[in-house]
Amino acid sequence: MSGKVYLVGAGPGDPELLTLKAVRLLRSADVVLHDELIGSAILQLIPSTTILRNVGKRGGRKNIRQQEIDTLLVQYALLGLQVVRLKGGDPLIFGRAGEEIEALRRARIEFEIVPGISAMLGAAAAVQLPLTHRELSSSLLLLTGHSSTAGRPEDWPAYISSESTVVVYMPGYDYAGTSHHLISCGLEGNMPCAVISQATSADQQIYRTTLQDLHTAPHLPSPTLLLIGQVVQFALCPSPENQFAPVLFDQRPAQDSERSE
Amino acid sequence: MSGKVYLVGAGPGDPELLTLKAVRLLRSADVVLHDELIGSAILQLIPSTTILRNVGKRGGRKNIRQQEIDTLLVQYALLGLQVVRLKGGDPLIFGRAGEEIEALRRARIEFEIVPGISAMLGAAAAVQLPLTHRELSSSLLLLTGHSSTAGRPEDWPAYISSESTVVVYMPGYDYAGTSHHLISCGLEGNMPCAVISQATSADQQIYRTTLQDLHTAPHLPSPTLLLIGQVVQFALCPSPENQFAPVLFDQRPAQDSERSE
């Protein structure tokens, strides 16, 4: 009888942001195949008797192809093992889970998907930035800067509404190109944006600027996310050398939306 | 000394999809203020000595205004209490957390945001639907059908790329209007779409159709999500009366992207 595969989201980094279900599965799996970016605090939850394999493809260095990962998942399951495929963030957002799902269905292997806290949710929570806002942002657009094949902007929508919050996963460091492209999609140059690095970890950093000045941003350590939109004004920026002062909402004038006097 | 407020995501419904941090905070809080849609299995995790208040605004029935919730959060914290504000899904996506953040900053109350599994992630995992796909969908657009003020399509972007997966939170039941609007934004009438109801619960249902036939979809119980895009072809549809047969990927011809012979 064949085993079962679980595609499990590991969340953004902080082990306390794992779901109860992810922890249960990590503690009971026979095999865990994990991405490069899964931190040691999460890997330490896995019993020492579990088969643990890093199948990370970060930057193509290790040159493990997706097809090889698909094959590993199927082969371990055919041995009757319980297999966890542990992916950073959520498995269904820019995680190439589609290919693993297809491989498992073709091989008729039973599988289940366990969602995780996507990087965007972890980063936004960490800097206290609402991704949507009743008055500032009515929609949310997720893009990816890099894929396994190439830098991507040609896949981006031709037009982006300035009422959307935009989140770029894996934005890379071609900030000038990214900024140019987003402005050509219709966003204003003075739109607030922020690079958030290693969100939810002890080494988290944020750099806040505007789209037109994004090219001056430092190259913070990966993983990073780029957030663009009016809601970025909410982001906490502890670093004093940041171009913006932290927004102190309690220093703003009383709002029109409050009860009138 | 004032207490602290935690804006905590409760995830999509399944209590096992709570984060470790959410569970820890629910077990130790002095006060929990929760949304209408938080299920009893999650509320049962809260000790019986905790002050528990339903501040749900579902359909405006209870007529608790956002400003009253903001005031409650501040007042409980000023009493020195640890307060959890428990919201369905993730607090920062269509959850009006922006207003609570502003109120807490104005009152100089310490607070922290704990992300949750957003409804979209729970639903996609439950029906095995990758939200992005290397060949089918390069971006993801989140919209909301209803807000506290009014039905919304006037806030939607004027143009939506057919290479985006589109997720409509709180889509309501004006399927004909929603479909008409999405087609006027540039999506094809034959684009696959699905209504997913009560995802991750025992009562989960999915109805899969196309955008042009969406008006024939049944009114499944809320909460629902509407997903539109080529990736919807992946969704498992256990119900035989559904208009589509389940997609069996193992019956498709071998793909071009596989190793050539």
Side-chain angles (χ1 to χ4, degrees):
Chain A
M1 199 182 107
S2 63
K4 185 169 174 180
V5 173
Y6 299 86
L7 307 182
V8 177
D14 177 354
E16 253 207 315
L17 296 180
L18 284 164
T19 64
L20 298 179
K21 190 166 185 175
V23 172
R24 174 170 63 81
L25 292 169
L26 286 174
R27 289 194 169 139
S28 61
D30 300 305
V31 185
V32 176
L33 305 179
H34 69 89
D35 280 355
E36 183 76 33
L37 287 172
I38 307 294
S40 59
I42 289 176
L43 296 179
Q44 279 164 16
L45 297 171
I46 300 167
S48 59
T49 51
T50 308
I51 301 169
L52 187 63
R53 284 187 69 160
N54 178 348
V55 293
K57 292 171 292 176
R58 190 179 182 181
R61 264 191 303 135
K62 297 219 170 178
N63 205 24
I64 294 187
R65 290 183 312 153
Q66 183 61 47
Q67 213 175 353
E68 290 174 60
I69 298 174
D70 300 346
T71 303
L72 280 174
L73 291 174
V74 169
Q75 284 179 341
Y76 279 121
L78 288 174
L79 290 170
L81 300 175
Q82 303 289 303
V83 185
V84 165
R85 171 73 178 101
L86 190 64
K87 290 164 171 282
D90 180 82
L92 298 178
I93 293 189
F94 302 126
R96 297 192 63 176
E99 290 152 82
E100 294 172 8
I101 290 170
E102 289 196 70
L104 293 165
R105 284 184 180 168
R106 257 193 234 107
R108 300 189 178 280
I109 303 292
E110 189 187 359
F111 70 98
E112 199 174 318
I113 302 174
V114 181
I117 302 292
S118 189
M120 148 184 96
L121 303 180
V127 302
Q128 303 184 343
L129 179 163
L131 291 162
T132 63
H133 189 283
R134 205 164 55 122
E135 287 156 26
L136 300 174
S137 172
S138 54
S139 62
L140 181 59
L141 177 65
L142 281 62
L143 304 172
T144 178
H146 286 282
S147 74
S148 56
T149 48
R152 273 280 176 136
E154 65 273 24
D155 279 0
W156 289 8
Y159 172 76
I160 297 176
S161 164
S162 59
E163 291 196 3
S164 272
T165 303
V166 181
V167 183
V168 183
Y169 279 69
M170 294 166 278
Y173 296 116
D174 178 14
Y175 291 146
T178 300
S179 154
H180 175 79
H181 192 81
L182 289 167
I183 290 171
S184 76
C185 290
L187 295 179
E188 300 283 341
N190 62 1
M191 186 67 88
C193 67
V195 178
I196 303 176
S197 163
Q198 301 182 306
T200 81
S201 80
D203 300 319
Q204 171 180 302
Q205 291 182 71
I206 176 170
Y207 186 86
R208 201 170 62 181
T209 178
T210 60
L211 209 44
Q212 67 207 356
D213 291 331
L214 177 59
H215 64 277
T216 65
H219 291 191
L220 301 179
S222 71
T224 62
L225 276 182
L226 172 63
L227 279 84
I228 307 111
Q230 293 295 348
V231 292
V232 172
Q233 296 173 72
F234 277 79
L236 281 184
C237 294
S239 156
E241 65 268 28
N242 197 265
Q243 277 170 268
F244 281 12
V247 178
L248 297 170
F249 282 86
D250 51 0
Q251 294 179 347
R252 295 193 315 175
Q255 296 197 307
D256 294 340
S257 61
E258 290 185 3
R259 188 187 294 264
S260 59
E261 294 172 1
Chain B
M1 200 181 109
S2 61
K4 184 168 174 181
V5 173
Y6 299 86
L7 307 182
V8 177
D14 176 355
E16 254 207 313
L17 296 180
L18 284 164
T19 63
L20 298 179
K21 189 165 186 177
V23 172
R24 173 170 65 80
L25 293 169
L26 286 174
R27 289 193 170 138
S28 62
D30 299 306
V31 185
V32 177
L33 304 179
H34 69 89
D35 281 353
E36 183 76 32
L37 287 172
I38 306 296
S40 59
I42 289 176
L43 296 179
Q44 279 164 15
L45 297 171
I46 301 167
S48 59
T49 50
T50 308
I51 301 169
L52 186 63
R53 284 186 70 161
N54 177 349
V55 293
K57 291 172 291 175
R58 188 179 183 183
R61 263 193 303 136
K62 298 219 172 178
N63 206 25
I64 295 187
R65 291 181 312 153
Q66 183 60 48
Q67 212 175 355
E68 290 174 60
I69 298 173
D70 300 347
T71 303
L72 280 174
L73 291 174
V74 169
Q75 285 179 340
Y76 279 119
L78 289 174
L79 290 170
L81 301 175
Q82 303 289 303
V83 184
V84 166
R85 170 75 177 101
L86 189 64
K87 291 166 172 281
D90 180 84
L92 298 177
I93 293 190
F94 302 128
R96 297 190 64 174
E99 290 153 82
E100 294 172 8
I101 290 170
E102 289 196 69
L104 293 166
R105 285 183 179 168
R106 253 190 239 110
R108 301 187 177 280
I109 302 293
E110 188 187 359
F111 69 97
E112 198 174 320
I113 302 174
V114 181
I117 302 292
S118 189
M120 151 183 93
L121 303 180
V127 303
Q128 303 184 344
L129 180 163
L131 290 162
T132 63
H133 190 281
R134 206 165 53 123
E135 287 156 26
L136 299 174
S137 172
S138 54
S139 62
L140 182 59
L141 177 65
L142 281 62
L143 304 172
T144 177
H146 286 282
S147 74
S148 58
T149 50
R152 271 280 176 131
E154 66 272 22
D155 278 1
W156 289 7
Y159 172 75
I160 297 176
S161 164
S162 60
E163 289 195 5
S164 271
T165 303
V166 181
V167 183
V168 184
Y169 278 69
M170 295 165 278
Y173 296 116
D174 177 15
Y175 291 146
T178 301
S179 155
H180 174 80
H181 191 81
L182 289 168
I183 289 172
S184 77
C185 290
L187 295 179
E188 300 282 342
N190 62 0
M191 186 67 89
C193 66
V195 179
I196 303 177
S197 163
Q198 300 183 305
T200 80
S201 80
D203 300 319
Q204 170 179 303
Q205 291 182 72
I206 174 170
Y207 186 86
R208 202 170 63 182
T209 179
T210 60
L211 209 43
Q212 66 206 356
D213 291 331
L214 178 60
H215 65 277
T216 66
H219 291 192
L220 302 178
S222 70
T224 61
L225 276 183
L226 172 63
L227 279 84
I228 306 110
Q230 292 296 348
V231 292
V232 172
Q233 296 172 72
F234 277 79
L236 279 184
C237 292
S239 155
E241 66 269 24
N242 198 263
Q243 278 168 267
F244 282 13
V247 178
L248 297 171
F249 282 86
D250 50 3
Q251 295 179 347
R252 295 194 315 175
Q255 294 196 308
D256 294 341
S257 60
E258 289 184 3
R259 186 189 294 265
S260 58
E261 294 171 0

